[in-house]
Amino acid sequence: MKVTEIVKNIYSVGVSDWNVRNFHGYLTQRGSSYNSYLIIDDKIALIDTVKAPFTKEFIDRISLIVPLDKIDYVVSNHVEMDHSGAMPEIMKRCPNAVVLTSQSGEKEHKLHYDTSKWNVRVVQSGDSVSLGKRTLSFLMTPMVHWPDNMVTYCPEDKILFSNDAFGQHYASAEYYDDELPLDLILWEAKKYYANIVMPYSNQVVAALEAASKLDIKMIAPSHGLIWRSHIDKIFAAYNDWSHAKSSKKAVIVYDSMYGSTEKIAYAIRDAFESKGYDYKFFDLKSNHHSDVITDCLDAEYICVGSPTLNKNIMPSVASMLTYIQGLIVKGKKGILFGSYGWAPQNIKVMQRYFDESGIDLVASYNNNFIPNAEYLKSVTKDLETRI
Ligand code: FEO
């Protein structure tokens, strides 16, 4: 077991979760990590903890550097259990430590754990704590993505301990953004943003504005790689994503029973191709909703198709639309399509999800049984006039 010193006297003591593939419905194909940082100064501070099943490994790592009862501060930037699961055991072993957390963090800790023996100090934006040579200052970032969220900044080392923000579900033996292909790390950061942070983009805009006033040389998130060489790129990406900037791109996603809805999906694809759009094409039999939503993040159009099934739609499409409804907040245009035998309810059912999501319906196409070549051509031609 090895502990990495990310700068002098600041250690990464978190754990990798190599085999996690389902993070509350999000497909984490590269696993994840629960990062925690230990700062050794006149006072010793631990920033965030790990998911409960990894408590022993976490304690073993900290113990390589310092006995736990020497820890003076435990900073809890976020109470979600992937970062606080080890707190009960840590607080048992650090009885003198002061927990530094936000006002909502204090309440949420009480709703998760028996905190009666914890010494909790609520911090606000602008508050700071001196560790000796270093200072920790706190910035509240509520609803990015829970009410309690805050980030911690060390001005002497210019490190932002950003918790979920700028994170990626990515387990690796490497620690830094310049040790793995940047496009993979940015893709995982984008997937993280789309699946976790997207509904709170307005709050991200405010948090970025506050963070832009800090001199940052390193961003140490609570998941994935540490940013030290590409801070400008992840800031620019967060700026684009939080402002819902879309490119000339369409996402086409569907499920099909006997191929009729799929034929219309290809006719829609032809229209976007002929108008020079980038596009992504997803059959839900082969693709996961968390990958589809990642491409929705910067798409101008979201096109969803299902046949009617039992006066309703395919369960896979209903699941996708439920996910879209929870995450998409503004500015998308939509197209619905499908096929039916005797009950053309599919479009109506799907439109309810679009209405709830605030997606502006541009066109819909619904065919009785099997679409012939003439119908498919008419779909392409009609859509070309609308996009
Ligand atoms: Fe990584 Fe919101 O927890």
Side-chain angles (χ1 to χ4, degrees):
M1 185 179 284
K2 167 187 150 212
V3 173
T4 290
E5 194 173 26
I6 60 169
V7 299
K8 190 163 173 49
N9 287 329
I10 300 185
Y11 297 88
S12 177
V13 291
V15 299
S16 289
D17 190 351
W18 290 95
N19 295 309
V20 64
R21 291 293 179 273
N22 184 332
F23 204 96
H24 48 60
Y26 169 162
L27 173 68
T28 49
Q29 64 266 56
R30 292 189 172 89
S32 191
S33 67
Y34 314 115
N35 301 344
S36 167
Y37 302 94
L38 182 71
I39 305 177
I40 307 295
D41 206 319
D42 299 344
K43 300 279 185 187
I44 296 175
L46 180 69
I47 300 189
D48 293 315
T49 72
V50 301
K51 212 171 183 177
F54 296 89
T55 301
K56 184 185 176 306
E57 181 181 342
F58 179 51
I59 287 172
D60 289 347
R61 283 182 190 277
I62 296 169
S63 303
L64 291 175
I65 309 295
V66 72
L68 267 84
D69 61 2
K70 299 283 181 221
I71 293 173
D72 298 287
Y73 295 109
V74 177
V75 177
S76 178
N77 283 314
H78 180 29
V79 181
E80 191 168 1
M81 288 178 285
D82 48 337
H83 308 296
S84 72
M87 282 290 283
E89 191 58 32
I90 290 290
M91 294 314 294
K92 254 190 236 163
R93 292 169 185 249
C94 311
N96 302 316
V98 176
V99 177
L100 301 169
T101 193
S102 65
Q103 192 145 37
S104 295
E106 184 195 28
K107 279 189 213 138
E108 290 173 16
H109 272 299
K110 279 186 188 155
L111 295 168
H112 283 74
Y113 310 112
D114 175 4
T115 62
S116 54
K117 297 203 172 99
W118 300 8
N119 182 3
V120 178
R121 188 187 305 167
V122 168
V123 294
Q124 314 276 357
S125 279
D127 287 354
S128 60
V129 165
S130 173
L131 301 181
K133 293 173 213 63
R134 290 183 176 81
T135 315
L136 295 180
S137 64
F138 308 101
L139 174 64
M140 303 300 112
T141 53
M143 296 316 298
V144 183
H145 65 126
W146 273 26
D148 62 290
N149 280 98
M150 66 179 207
V151 297
T152 299
Y153 177 61
C154 175
E156 292 80 9
D157 289 299
K158 301 182 180 14
I159 302 179
L160 182 69
F161 298 98
S162 62
N163 196 267
D164 279 342
F166 309 114
Q168 331 94 47
H169 282 313
Y170 203 144
S172 74
E174 293 79 9
Y175 283 85
Y176 303 105
D177 60 345
D178 46 32
E179 296 182 308
L180 286 169
L182 180 61
D183 57 343
L184 287 186
I185 306 170
L186 281 170
W187 169 257
E188 290 297 344
K190 180 180 179 183
K191 184 169 182 179
Y192 193 93
Y193 189 96
N195 282 272
I196 306 273
V197 186
M198 181 158 54
Y200 310 105
S201 288
N202 288 339
Q203 290 86 342
V204 175
V205 170
L208 284 176
E209 169 69 24
S212 69
K213 298 187 177 89
L214 305 173
D215 184 6
I216 297 171
K217 289 241 160 66
M218 184 178 274
I219 299 175
S222 289
H223 297 291
L225 284 303
I226 292 170
W227 300 94
R228 67 176 179 188
S229 295
H230 302 292
I231 291 171
D232 54 336
K233 291 194 178 64
I234 189 64
F235 258 102
Y238 260 62
N239 191 49
D240 286 353
W241 300 332
S242 60
H243 286 96
K245 279 196 185 158
S246 59
S247 55
K248 195 174 174 186
K249 172 179 166 185
V251 167
I252 301 161
V253 56
Y254 65 94
D255 199 351
S256 194
M257 290 161 69
Y258 290 99
S260 294
T261 295
E262 184 169 64
K263 284 181 178 154
I264 302 170
Y266 279 109
I268 287 170
R269 185 270 322 259
D270 289 348
F272 281 109
E273 245 182 7
S274 77
K275 298 293 272 186
Y277 272 74
D278 181 19
Y279 65 88
K280 286 286 172 74
F281 197 84
F282 298 102
D283 180 345
L284 284 169
K285 284 194 242 338
S286 313
N287 291 283
H288 196 270
H289 54 254
S290 60
D291 286 321
V292 177
I293 203 78
T294 306
D295 271 300
C296 290
L297 175 61
D298 56 358
E300 182 184 347
Y301 284 92
I302 299 175
C303 315
V304 183
S306 174
T308 296
L309 176 66
N310 303 327
K311 296 191 286 185
N312 215 300
I313 56 176
M314 298 285 276
S316 56
V317 179
S319 167
M320 183 73 242
L321 285 165
T322 298
Y323 208 59
I324 286 173
Q325 191 184 319
L327 290 167
I328 293 285
V329 278
K330 58 185 174 185
K332 300 294 179 196
K333 295 177 209 165
I335 290 157
L336 294 171
F337 60 96
S339 55
Y340 63 96
W342 52 95
Q345 274 102 334
N346 51 342
I347 300 293
K348 274 186 229 150
V349 172
M350 291 192 286
Q351 192 171 348
R352 285 205 293 271
Y353 287 96
F354 268 21
D355 291 345
E356 287 283 324
S357 312
I359 295 175
D360 184 19
L361 186 65
V362 171
S364 64
Y365 305 100
N366 206 11
N367 183 72
N368 194 195
F369 282 117
I370 299 171
N372 60 26
E374 194 184 341
Y375 177 79
L376 294 171
K377 250 187 213 163
S378 76
V379 168
T380 304
K381 273 201 144 187
D382 181 77
L383 189 53
E384 283 170 355
T385 67
R386 295 173 190 267
I387 56 179

mmCIF file of all heavy atoms in Angstrom, residues 118-142:
data_model
loop_
_atom_site.group_PDB
_atom_site.id
_atom_site.type_symbol
_atom_site.label_atom_id
_atom_site.label_comp_id
_atom_site.label_asym_id
_atom_site.label_seq_id
_atom_site.Cartn_x
_atom_site.Cartn_y
_atom_site.Cartn_z
ATOM 1 N N TRP A 118 -19.831 14.172 18.278
ATOM 2 C CA TRP A 118 -18.941 14.903 17.373
ATOM 3 C C TRP A 118 -18.873 16.374 17.785
ATOM 4 O O TRP A 118 -19.867 16.957 18.201
ATOM 5 C CB TRP A 118 -19.430 14.858 15.929
ATOM 6 C CG TRP A 118 -19.560 13.508 15.288
ATOM 7 C CD1 TRP A 118 -19.441 12.279 15.891
ATOM 8 C CD2 TRP A 118 -19.867 13.245 13.919
ATOM 9 N NE1 TRP A 118 -19.650 11.273 14.967
ATOM 10 C CE2 TRP A 118 -19.913 11.832 13.757
ATOM 11 C CE3 TRP A 118 -20.123 14.042 12.811
ATOM 12 C CZ2 TRP A 118 -20.201 11.222 12.535
ATOM 13 C CZ3 TRP A 118 -20.402 13.446 11.591
ATOM 14 C CH2 TRP A 118 -20.429 12.050 11.455
ATOM 15 N N ASN A 119 -17.696 16.939 17.595
ATOM 16 C CA ASN A 119 -17.536 18.377 17.812
ATOM 17 C C ASN A 119 -17.617 19.047 16.434
ATOM 18 O O ASN A 119 -16.665 19.021 15.665
ATOM 19 C CB ASN A 119 -16.168 18.627 18.477
ATOM 20 C CG ASN A 119 -15.937 20.084 18.778
ATOM 21 O OD1 ASN A 119 -16.805 20.931 18.544
ATOM 22 N ND2 ASN A 119 -14.748 20.408 19.290
ATOM 23 N N VAL A 120 -18.795 19.605 16.121
ATOM 24 C CA VAL A 120 -19.032 20.138 14.771
ATOM 25 C C VAL A 120 -18.974 21.663 14.803
ATOM 26 O O VAL A 120 -19.584 22.296 15.665
ATOM 27 C CB VAL A 120 -20.418 19.686 14.237
ATOM 28 C CG1 VAL A 120 -20.687 20.276 12.848
ATOM 29 C CG2 VAL A 120 -20.506 18.165 14.185
ATOM 30 N N ARG A 121 -18.239 22.238 13.856
ATOM 31 C CA ARG A 121 -18.222 23.700 13.706
ATOM 32 C C ARG A 121 -18.746 24.043 12.312
ATOM 33 O O ARG A 121 -18.191 23.595 11.303
ATOM 34 C CB ARG A 121 -16.814 24.249 13.873
ATOM 35 C CG ARG A 121 -16.802 25.789 13.911
ATOM 36 C CD ARG A 121 -15.398 26.360 13.894
ATOM 37 N NE ARG A 121 -14.560 25.837 14.958
ATOM 38 C CZ ARG A 121 -13.232 25.991 15.000
ATOM 39 N NH1 ARG A 121 -12.604 26.667 14.027
ATOM 40 N NH2 ARG A 121 -12.522 25.484 15.976
ATOM 41 N N VAL A 122 -19.810 24.826 12.278
ATOM 42 C CA VAL A 122 -20.378 25.238 10.985
ATOM 43 C C VAL A 122 -19.538 26.378 10.411
ATOM 44 O O VAL A 122 -19.191 27.321 11.122
ATOM 45 C CB VAL A 122 -21.854 25.671 11.172
ATOM 46 C CG1 VAL A 122 -22.388 26.370 9.920
ATOM 47 C CG2 VAL A 122 -22.714 24.468 11.515
ATOM 48 N N VAL A 123 -19.209 26.247 9.117
ATOM 49 C CA VAL A 123 -18.451 27.320 8.453
ATOM 50 C C VAL A 123 -19.301 27.939 7.344
ATOM 51 O O VAL A 123 -20.231 27.318 6.827
ATOM 52 C CB VAL A 123 -17.108 26.800 7.881
ATOM 53 C CG1 VAL A 123 -16.173 26.365 8.999
ATOM 54 C CG2 VAL A 123 -17.327 25.647 6.890
ATOM 55 N N GLN A 124 -18.957 29.173 7.026
ATOM 56 C CA GLN A 124 -19.655 29.925 5.960
ATOM 57 C C GLN A 124 -18.611 30.323 4.917
ATOM 58 O O GLN A 124 -17.414 30.273 5.187
ATOM 59 C CB GLN A 124 -20.241 31.232 6.525
ATOM 60 C CG GLN A 124 -20.971 31.113 7.824
ATOM 61 C CD GLN A 124 -22.407 30.701 7.634
ATOM 62 O OE1 GLN A 124 -22.868 30.562 6.493
ATOM 63 N NE2 GLN A 124 -23.106 30.483 8.732
ATOM 64 N N SER A 125 -19.086 30.823 3.777
ATOM 65 C CA SER A 125 -18.158 31.350 2.766
ATOM 66 C C SER A 125 -17.311 32.445 3.383
ATOM 67 O O SER A 125 -17.839 33.333 4.069
ATOM 68 C CB SER A 125 -18.933 31.949 1.584
ATOM 69 O OG SER A 125 -19.344 30.942 0.716
ATOM 70 N N GLY A 126 -16.016 32.375 3.154
ATOM 71 C CA GLY A 126 -15.107 33.401 3.671
ATOM 72 C C GLY A 126 -14.462 33.013 4.992
ATOM 73 O O GLY A 126 -13.449 33.601 5.384
ATOM 74 N N ASP A 127 -15.038 32.038 5.699
ATOM 75 C CA ASP A 127 -14.405 31.576 6.949
ATOM 76 C C ASP A 127 -13.109 30.843 6.616
ATOM 77 O O ASP A 127 -12.985 30.224 5.545
ATOM 78 C CB ASP A 127 -15.322 30.602 7.706
ATOM 79 C CG ASP A 127 -16.486 31.318 8.354
ATOM 80 O OD1 ASP A 127 -16.513 32.559 8.313
ATOM 81 O OD2 ASP A 127 -17.378 30.628 8.889
ATOM 82 N N SER A 128 -12.177 30.894 7.540
ATOM 83 C CA SER A 128 -10.946 30.133 7.326
ATOM 84 C C SER A 128 -10.417 29.600 8.654
ATOM 85 O O SER A 128 -10.801 30.075 9.734
ATOM 86 C CB SER A 128 -9.892 30.980 6.613
ATOM 87 O OG SER A 128 -9.596 32.104 7.387
ATOM 88 N N VAL A 129 -9.556 28.612 8.525
ATOM 89 C CA VAL A 129 -8.935 27.980 9.690
ATOM 90 C C VAL A 129 -7.439 27.923 9.425
ATOM 91 O O VAL A 129 -7.020 27.516 8.341
ATOM 92 C CB VAL A 129 -9.493 26.543 9.859
ATOM 93 C CG1 VAL A 129 -8.644 25.728 10.812
ATOM 94 C CG2 VAL A 129 -10.926 26.567 10.333
ATOM 95 N N SER A 130 -6.632 28.334 10.396
ATOM 96 C CA SER A 130 -5.181 28.247 10.219
ATOM 97 C C SER A 130 -4.678 26.896 10.706
ATOM 98 O O SER A 130 -5.042 26.435 11.790
ATOM 99 C CB SER A 130 -4.494 29.373 11.005
ATOM 100 O OG SER A 130 -3.095 29.156 10.952
ATOM 101 N N LEU A 131 -3.842 26.266 9.868
ATOM 102 C CA LEU A 131 -3.237 24.996 10.284
ATOM 103 C C LEU A 131 -1.804 25.210 10.759
ATOM 104 O O LEU A 131 -1.145 24.268 11.167
ATOM 105 C CB LEU A 131 -3.233 24.009 9.104
ATOM 106 C CG LEU A 131 -4.589 23.653 8.489
ATOM 107 C CD1 LEU A 131 -4.401 22.652 7.343
ATOM 108 C CD2 LEU A 131 -5.558 23.088 9.526
ATOM 109 N N GLY A 132 -1.312 26.445 10.668
ATOM 110 C CA GLY A 132 0.086 26.757 10.985
ATOM 111 C C GLY A 132 0.666 27.511 9.796
ATOM 112 O O GLY A 132 0.438 28.700 9.636
ATOM 113 N N LYS A 133 1.382 26.771 8.929
ATOM 114 C CA LYS A 133 1.909 27.419 7.724
ATOM 115 C C LYS A 133 0.811 27.589 6.676
ATOM 116 O O LYS A 133 0.912 28.394 5.765
ATOM 117 C CB LYS A 133 3.044 26.583 7.129
ATOM 118 C CG LYS A 133 4.283 26.543 8.020
ATOM 119 C CD LYS A 133 5.287 25.561 7.441
ATOM 120 C CE LYS A 133 6.107 24.839 8.490
ATOM 121 N NZ LYS A 133 5.355 23.970 9.417
ATOM 122 N N ARG A 134 -0.215 26.784 6.772
ATOM 123 C CA ARG A 134 -1.288 26.800 5.770
ATOM 124 C C ARG A 134 -2.605 27.272 6.369
ATOM 125 O O ARG A 134 -2.813 27.186 7.573
ATOM 126 C CB ARG A 134 -1.533 25.397 5.222
ATOM 127 C CG ARG A 134 -0.446 24.849 4.366
ATOM 128 C CD ARG A 134 -0.877 23.482 3.853
ATOM 129 N NE ARG A 134 0.109 22.959 2.944
ATOM 130 C CZ ARG A 134 1.220 22.364 3.346
ATOM 131 N NH1 ARG A 134 1.480 22.233 4.633
ATOM 132 N NH2 ARG A 134 2.081 21.913 2.455
ATOM 133 N N THR A 135 -3.467 27.682 5.424
ATOM 134 C CA THR A 135 -4.820 28.085 5.809
ATOM 135 C C THR A 135 -5.797 27.260 4.989
ATOM 136 O O THR A 135 -5.509 26.917 3.845
ATOM 137 C CB THR A 135 -5.045 29.579 5.437
ATOM 138 O OG1 THR A 135 -3.908 30.307 5.846
ATOM 139 C CG2 THR A 135 -6.287 30.151 6.066
ATOM 140 N N LEU A 136 -6.937 26.950 5.568
ATOM 141 C CA LEU A 136 -8.033 26.388 4.774
ATOM 142 C C LEU A 136 -9.160 27.398 4.781
ATOM 143 O O LEU A 136 -9.598 27.838 5.851
ATOM 144 C CB LEU A 136 -8.516 25.064 5.374
ATOM 145 C CG LEU A 136 -7.519 23.899 5.368
ATOM 146 C CD1 LEU A 136 -8.144 22.659 6.003
ATOM 147 C CD2 LEU A 136 -7.021 23.605 3.953
ATOM 148 N N SER A 137 -9.609 27.806 3.596
ATOM 149 C CA SER A 137 -10.756 28.716 3.555
ATOM 150 C C SER A 137 -11.892 28.017 2.811
ATOM 151 O O SER A 137 -11.664 27.108 1.998
ATOM 152 C CB SER A 137 -10.381 30.048 2.925
ATOM 153 O OG SER A 137 -10.020 29.873 1.603
ATOM 154 N N PHE A 138 -13.099 28.458 3.099
ATOM 155 C CA PHE A 138 -14.277 27.704 2.671
ATOM 156 C C PHE A 138 -15.168 28.559 1.779
ATOM 157 O O PHE A 138 -15.323 29.766 2.010
ATOM 158 C CB PHE A 138 -15.053 27.196 3.894
ATOM 159 C CG PHE A 138 -14.156 26.451 4.846
ATOM 160 C CD1 PHE A 138 -13.667 27.064 6.007
ATOM 161 C CD2 PHE A 138 -13.732 25.162 4.548
ATOM 162 C CE1 PHE A 138 -12.801 26.394 6.855
ATOM 163 C CE2 PHE A 138 -12.863 24.485 5.395
ATOM 164 C CZ PHE A 138 -12.386 25.102 6.553
ATOM 165 N N LEU A 139 -15.729 27.876 0.783
ATOM 166 C CA LEU A 139 -16.632 28.554 -0.153
ATOM 167 C C LEU A 139 -17.874 27.668 -0.297
ATOM 168 O O LEU A 139 -17.763 26.493 -0.671
ATOM 169 C CB LEU A 139 -15.913 28.709 -1.506
ATOM 170 C CG LEU A 139 -16.725 29.255 -2.679
ATOM 171 C CD1 LEU A 139 -17.183 30.681 -2.417
ATOM 172 C CD2 LEU A 139 -15.894 29.197 -3.962
ATOM 173 N N MET A 140 -19.023 28.228 0.049
ATOM 174 C CA MET A 140 -20.259 27.443 -0.048
ATOM 175 C C MET A 140 -20.670 27.329 -1.522
ATOM 176 O O MET A 140 -20.671 28.332 -2.245
ATOM 177 C CB MET A 140 -21.404 28.099 0.739
ATOM 178 C CG MET A 140 -21.105 28.325 2.221
ATOM 179 S SD MET A 140 -20.739 26.798 3.122
ATOM 180 C CE MET A 140 -18.990 27.042 3.507
ATOM 181 N N THR A 141 -21.009 26.112 -1.947
ATOM 182 C CA THR A 141 -21.479 25.894 -3.326
ATOM 183 C C THR A 141 -22.794 25.095 -3.267
ATOM 184 O O THR A 141 -22.865 23.969 -3.781
ATOM 185 C CB THR A 141 -20.418 25.120 -4.144
ATOM 186 O OG1 THR A 141 -20.065 23.920 -3.428
ATOM 187 C CG2 THR A 141 -19.168 25.946 -4.366
ATOM 188 N N PRO A 142 -23.826 25.670 -2.616
ATOM 189 C CA PRO A 142 -25.053 24.902 -2.395
ATOM 190 C C PRO A 142 -25.673 24.428 -3.705
ATOM 191 O O PRO A 142 -25.646 25.127 -4.714
ATOM 192 C CB PRO A 142 -25.971 25.905 -1.680
ATOM 193 C CG PRO A 142 -25.394 27.248 -1.963
ATOM 194 C CD PRO A 142 -23.925 27.051 -2.143
#
